[in-house]
């Protein structure tokens, strides 16, 4: 199979290219080449999709399959389709769970209401890419792929949290690094919060298989619904330092202390308020029936931790609390009459 990966130098797109190369496919990666290198055995075609006409260099090329992970630009998707759609048998578009309008209802399927499409074609700067704009751009991009490729040649996947090695968002990996550091570690204390994740290696393998088998349709690329507290406990037992103690804080206290949910600076990654639990509790059964094979949580935790060690446990991160921020929040603990504290015990 001759495969074009629009990307191929970081995280998911690189893992897709790597997986395809290991299966002895002919892989071309079209990317700027600034965020990393393509896997050995793949070929880099250097281009910047922000530049008008950049993808025209692919005019006349034929591929069995294309995989596009465009993050925030409908124009990127439209340009690629205009040049390649008539000479490609199968098109994968990596969308997002953020495409859904309802963030609160658990158990949703791909039939759930979507965000309004955002039809602006330019690439948004990260500072301008709100959740609504991101989700709406993904919806518009999905629509463009289905309209141009037809239902039998388009494969749309909507992942939520993508875990495993190489995560640039630092949400899953934060916890493995934090637990390895030991001491008092703040964790969210909410009643049975759900969480879904899919290891990047499992998602990439499924996408490559879908290209090989010409799998079509739209799927939520998510693993089983887990309980966040249980996930953090297992991770702490697998990689935590001997003196690690998990200290739960209620959402109210965390918000008062200026701690953000989900990700980004000064956050507790993977934690969401109750009105957002629908984002991490979609129905995984259709994707599992279509061949998505999630590995064990222990495998993902150990691999993410090994990756954190390789990248540096003390490096600045895109998500989580810095040691200084965590100490500041811990010092907000108010003693209770029995000598305990309002954060409780995990």
């Amino acid at each position: 199979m001759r495969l074009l990966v629009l990307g191929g130098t970081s995280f998911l797109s690189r893992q897709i290219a790597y997986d395809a190369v290991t299966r002895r496919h002919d892989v071309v990666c079209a990317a700027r080449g600034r965020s990393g290198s393509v896997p050995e055995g793949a070929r880099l075609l250097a281009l910047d999709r922000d530049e008008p006409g950049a993808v025209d260099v692919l005019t006349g090329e034929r591929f069995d399959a294309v995989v596009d992970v465009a993050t925030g630009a409908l124009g990127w998707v439209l340009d690629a389709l205009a040049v390649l759609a008539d000479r490609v048998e199968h098109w994968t578009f990596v969308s997002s769970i953020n495409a859904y309008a309802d963030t609160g209802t658990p158990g949703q399927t791909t039939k759930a209401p979507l965000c309004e499409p955002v039809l602006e074609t330019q690439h948004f700067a990260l500072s301008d890419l709100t959740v609504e704009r991101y989700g709406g751009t993904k919806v518009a991009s999905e629509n463009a792929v289905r309209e141009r490729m037809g239902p039998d040649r388009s494969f749309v996947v909507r992942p939520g949290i993508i875990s495993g090695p190489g995560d640039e968002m630092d949400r899953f990996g934060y916890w493995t690094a934090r637990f390895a550091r030991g001491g008092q570690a703040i964790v969210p204390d909410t009643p049975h919060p759900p969480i879904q994740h899919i290891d990047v290696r499992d998602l990439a393998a499924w996408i490559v298989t879908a290209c090989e088998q010409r799998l079509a349709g739209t799927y939520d690329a998510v693993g089983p619904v887990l309980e966040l507290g249980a996930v953090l406990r297992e991770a702490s037992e697998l990689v935590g330092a001997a003196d690690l103690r998990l200290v739960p804080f209620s959402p109210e206290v965390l918000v008062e202390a200026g701690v953000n949910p989900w990700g980004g600076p000064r956050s507790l990654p993977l934690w969401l308020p109750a009105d957002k639990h629908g984002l991490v509790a979609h129905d995984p059964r259709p994707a599992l029936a279509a061949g998505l094979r999630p590995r064990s949580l222990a495998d993902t935790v150990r691999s993410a931790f090994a990756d954190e060690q390789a990248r540096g446990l003390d490096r600045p991160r895109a998500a989580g609390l810095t040691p200084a921020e965590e100490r500041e929040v811990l010092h907000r603990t108010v003693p209770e009459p029995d000598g305990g504290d309002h954060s409780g015990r995990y």
Side-chain angles (χ1 to χ4, degrees):
M1 176 176 69
R2 191 161 193 247
L3 173 67
L4 173 66
V5 179
L6 293 168
T9 59
S10 64
F11 200 37
L12 176 59
S13 65
R14 191 179 196 281
Q15 187 66 43
I16 292 167
Y18 172 80
D19 192 279
V21 166
T22 62
R23 302 191 202 188
R24 301 186 181 280
H25 294 306
D26 178 9
V27 180
V28 177
C29 299
R32 293 176 301 177
R34 298 175 192 169
S35 57
S37 61
V38 301
E40 184 177 353
R43 177 166 67 91
L44 174 65
L45 180 63
L47 60 84
D48 186 344
R49 296 173 80 178
D50 276 332
E51 296 294 330
V55 294
D56 290 349
V57 69
L58 292 164
T59 300
E61 293 275 4
R62 290 187 176 275
F63 295 94
D64 298 294
V66 168
V67 177
D68 191 0
V69 297
T71 53
L74 174 60
W76 285 7
V77 177
L78 294 173
D79 289 349
L81 287 166
V83 171
L84 294 163
D86 291 336
R87 294 181 305 281
V88 172
E89 294 300 319
H90 186 268
W91 198 288
T92 296
F93 179 70
V94 179
S95 184
S96 168
I97 213 75
N98 286 288
Y100 293 100
D102 181 354
T103 63
T105 304
Q108 293 182 76
T109 69
T110 55
K111 298 180 187 290
L114 300 176
C115 297
E116 286 296 317
V118 173
L119 300 178
E120 299 173 66
T121 57
Q122 76 272 22
H123 186 237
F124 297 114
L126 286 178
S127 57
D128 298 327
L129 199 59
T130 63
V131 172
E132 294 77 15
R133 182 173 281 180
Y134 178 67
T137 299
K138 286 293 193 181
V139 171
S141 299
E142 289 183 14
N143 292 342
V145 170
R146 293 192 200 93
E147 180 178 346
R148 190 67 179 82
M149 297 299 297
D152 297 330
R153 295 194 297 151
S154 54
F155 179 59
V156 174
V157 293
R158 296 172 180 154
I161 285 286
I162 305 177
S163 58
D167 178 14
E168 296 170 338
M169 302 299 288
D170 289 331
R171 288 176 294 198
F172 196 93
Y174 164 79
W175 290 109
T176 65
R178 176 60 195 91
F179 293 157
R181 197 171 77 236
Q184 291 184 312
I186 295 175
V187 294
D189 184 17
T190 56
H192 309 295
I195 189 64
Q196 280 176 307
H197 74 101
I198 189 67
D199 191 292
V200 63
R201 296 163 293 179
D202 300 330
L203 178 54
W206 186 43
I207 288 172
V208 175
T209 298
C211 294
E212 294 171 338
Q213 298 179 353
R214 304 293 188 264
L215 178 63
T218 301
Y219 295 88
D220 292 333
V222 294
V225 180
L226 306 174
E227 197 270 314
L228 180 58
V231 169
L232 297 183
R233 284 193 295 274
E234 182 169 347
S236 70
E237 292 165 2
L238 288 168
V239 301
D243 67 339
L244 174 68
R245 183 164 72 89
L246 306 187
V247 184
F249 272 65
S250 71
E252 295 77 16
V253 173
L254 292 172
V255 169
E256 182 183 345
V259 178
N260 298 309
W262 195 237
R266 197 180 172 88
S267 69
L268 281 188
L270 310 185
W271 157 59
L272 278 173
D275 63 349
K276 302 292 185 185
H277 283 178
L279 278 173
V280 288
H282 274 247
D283 185 354
R285 290 174 295 181
L288 299 178
L292 179 60
R293 295 288 178 265
R295 68 190 60 215
S296 69
L297 174 63
D299 187 321
T300 296
V301 167
R302 292 190 179 100
S303 298
F305 180 54
D307 181 61
E308 288 290 334
Q309 289 177 304
R311 294 160 68 189
L313 293 178
D314 296 324
R315 64 181 173 83
R317 286 184 172 77
L321 296 173
T322 66
E325 290 168 344
E326 188 171 40
R327 285 193 297 271
E328 174 199 329
V329 177
L330 283 166
H331 289 161
R332 290 172 176 260
T333 303
V334 179
E336 293 183 344
D338 63 358
D341 61 67
H342 73 273
S343 62
R345 293 291 181 270
Y346 219 56

